[in-house]
């Protein structure tokens, strides 16, 4: 299926629907109206219907959505139904935190190994995942069907790592270094400072609102 | 000034304008049109003008924006002109990564101390910041003019920590635990998994786009 005209804003809302619907399913809810879902997510109902229409729409007018069906459709659209093998470059605090976090596997994100240049880290394991020297990157990616590369390294080397990842065949980059990297494959740059600045804005202007 | 009707979507774009304008200022650019700025940020020009109009607008029609003035106005709106003292609860990998990261201070975010329950961490320092026992939290917050609390702890204790932070006088919460917390003060819940899911969507649907 092709969704070429789906905007970035819609794409970014899809994981939030996914999260909210997972909560509703776990609560045993069977049906939900666009109005009620919108209210829970602090959107308006027409926005929700418009978002879903980007993908063909999932419900019948006035009848609401079946929670399980909707969740399955969204999982399918989000392509989180099959596993992605990943590696992390940078075995410092952020890399270690990511390697230790056990909440990713349900999304099909499987961290296989880490890479670093520090001799004292190479050869160790983090949460059972081996740490290799960065010189092993290209060979490892090719031999182990790695599709996602996580950058958890310093700003000064982030773009170079991104380039090496793409050259070795990686299909998507998740970047935690505090600078944007660019690539010929999809990239998600994490901007933690943006979130911090939003918090400061809300504190200053006394906005108690959604997340 | 009051900006009560500013939507969450606009608030979330403001840090991105701030980042982009900082880059332009550092490149020595003096003026920029809404069209050019929009293009750089993959928005459309009317969106940019609408966003700025939420705050009274900053430019003259057809003349573009003065980069330095615009940046100063946005900094002012975002309230990142004065310092916020912060503490981190949880001195594990995420807490340590945040304490070590030196990119926050330019946004006025100053980490003063960390808190944990683990006896082997209490009494140590992370990047020069002391780690105290969680029992010290309330006293420390009150005595040290702490306004932001960072939650870098396990899911099971996140809400309890948020409640204690609010009770001790904290004015805003930045939550890295993998569950949303709620509070009577502004909260920013970091959802790293949302970003991961967006990456998977883009990989599956071959979207090479903005960040």
């Amino acid at each position: 299926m092709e969704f070429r005209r789906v905007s970035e804003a819609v794409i970014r809302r899809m994981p939030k629907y996914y999260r909210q619907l997972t909560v509703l399913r776990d609560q045993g809810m069977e049906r939900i109206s666009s109005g009620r879902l919108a209210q829970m997510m602090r959107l308006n109902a027409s926005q929700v219907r418009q978002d879903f229409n980007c993908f063909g729409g999932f419900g019948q007018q006035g009848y609401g959505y079946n929670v399980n069906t909707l969740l399955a459709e969204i999982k399918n659209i989000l392509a989180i139904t099959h596993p992605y093998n990943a590696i992390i470059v940078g075995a410092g605090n952020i890399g270690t935190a990511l390697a230790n976090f056990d909440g990713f596997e349900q999304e099909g994100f499987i961290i296989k190994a880490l890479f670093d240049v520090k001799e004292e880290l190479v050869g160790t394991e983090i949460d059972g995942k081996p740490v290799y020297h960065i010189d092993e990157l290209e060979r490892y990616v090719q031999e182990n069907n790695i599709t996602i590369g996580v950058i958890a390294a310093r700003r000064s080397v982030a773009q170079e790592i991104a380039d090496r990842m793409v050259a070795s065949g990686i299909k998507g980059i998740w970047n935690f270094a505090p600078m944007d990297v660019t690539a010929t494959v999809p990239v998600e740059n994490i901007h933690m400072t943006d979130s911090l600045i939003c918090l400061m804005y809300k504190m200053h202007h006394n906005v108690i609102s959604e997340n």
Side-chain angles (χ1 to χ4, degrees), chain A:
Chain A
M1 237 192 285
E2 269 307 329
F3 310 123
R4 281 204 180 275
R5 281 166 301 178
V6 176
S7 73
E8 179 79 15
V10 176
I11 295 174
R12 303 216 82 80
R13 277 195 292 275
M14 295 309 285
K16 300 184 198 302
Y17 289 120
Y18 170 66
R19 255 193 291 123
Q20 185 67 54
L21 288 163
T22 303
V23 170
L24 295 177
R25 182 205 55 195
D26 293 349
Q27 291 171 351
M29 189 175 279
E30 289 182 8
R31 299 200 74 80
I32 187 148
S33 67
S34 54
R36 184 77 188 94
L37 183 60
Q39 192 183 23
M40 286 172 170
M41 298 182 58
R42 295 192 180 92
L43 299 166
N44 63 59
S46 74
Q47 173 95 80
V48 171
R49 287 191 298 267
Q50 249 177 53
D51 286 353
F52 292 172
N53 280 339
C54 291
F55 306 100
F58 311 123
Q60 279 174 263
Q61 192 75 31
Y63 190 63
Y65 303 103
N66 176 298
V67 170
N68 275 313
T69 310
L70 186 54
L71 189 57
E73 297 258 25
I74 287 177
K75 275 186 88 155
N76 195 36
I77 286 166
L78 289 172
I80 44 182
T81 46
H82 66 89
Y84 294 83
N85 290 331
I87 53 96
I88 300 174
V89 174
N93 290 309
I94 294 177
T96 301
L98 291 169
N100 275 303
F101 181 58
D102 59 4
F104 292 136
E105 300 221 346
Q106 58 184 322
E107 264 69 62
F109 178 75
I110 299 158
I111 298 165
K112 306 292 271 187
L114 295 93
F115 294 83
D116 209 295
V117 289
K118 290 213 180 92
E119 293 299 344
E120 65 268 30
L121 293 174
V122 172
T124 65
E125 287 195 350
I126 297 172
D127 196 32
K129 293 135 196 156
V131 181
Y132 297 115
H133 193 276
I134 185 73
D135 287 349
E136 305 286 321
L137 180 72
E138 286 77 5
R139 188 191 54 73
Y140 187 90
V141 166
Q142 282 154 23
E143 289 177 3
N144 292 277
N145 189 27
I146 303 298
T147 50
I148 296 182
V150 181
I151 302 177
R154 289 194 319 282
R155 180 194 301 256
S156 57
V157 292
Q159 185 61 53
E160 182 197 331
I161 292 170
D163 295 342
R164 283 181 66 172
M165 284 178 170
V166 174
S168 69
I170 270 178
K171 304 300 183 203
I173 294 175
W174 202 20
N175 175 36
F176 285 79
M179 65 160 281
D180 287 2
V181 301
T182 57
T184 52
V185 300
V187 177
E188 276 278 310
N189 292 300
I190 290 274
H191 292 294
M192 290 198 304
T193 307
D194 285 10
S195 166
L196 176 62
I197 290 175
C198 285
L199 179 62
M200 291 172 175
Y201 175 93
K202 291 174 180 180
M203 289 169 68
H204 194 68
H205 299 288
N206 202 27
V207 182
I208 317 282
S209 75
E210 69 173 310
N211 308 299

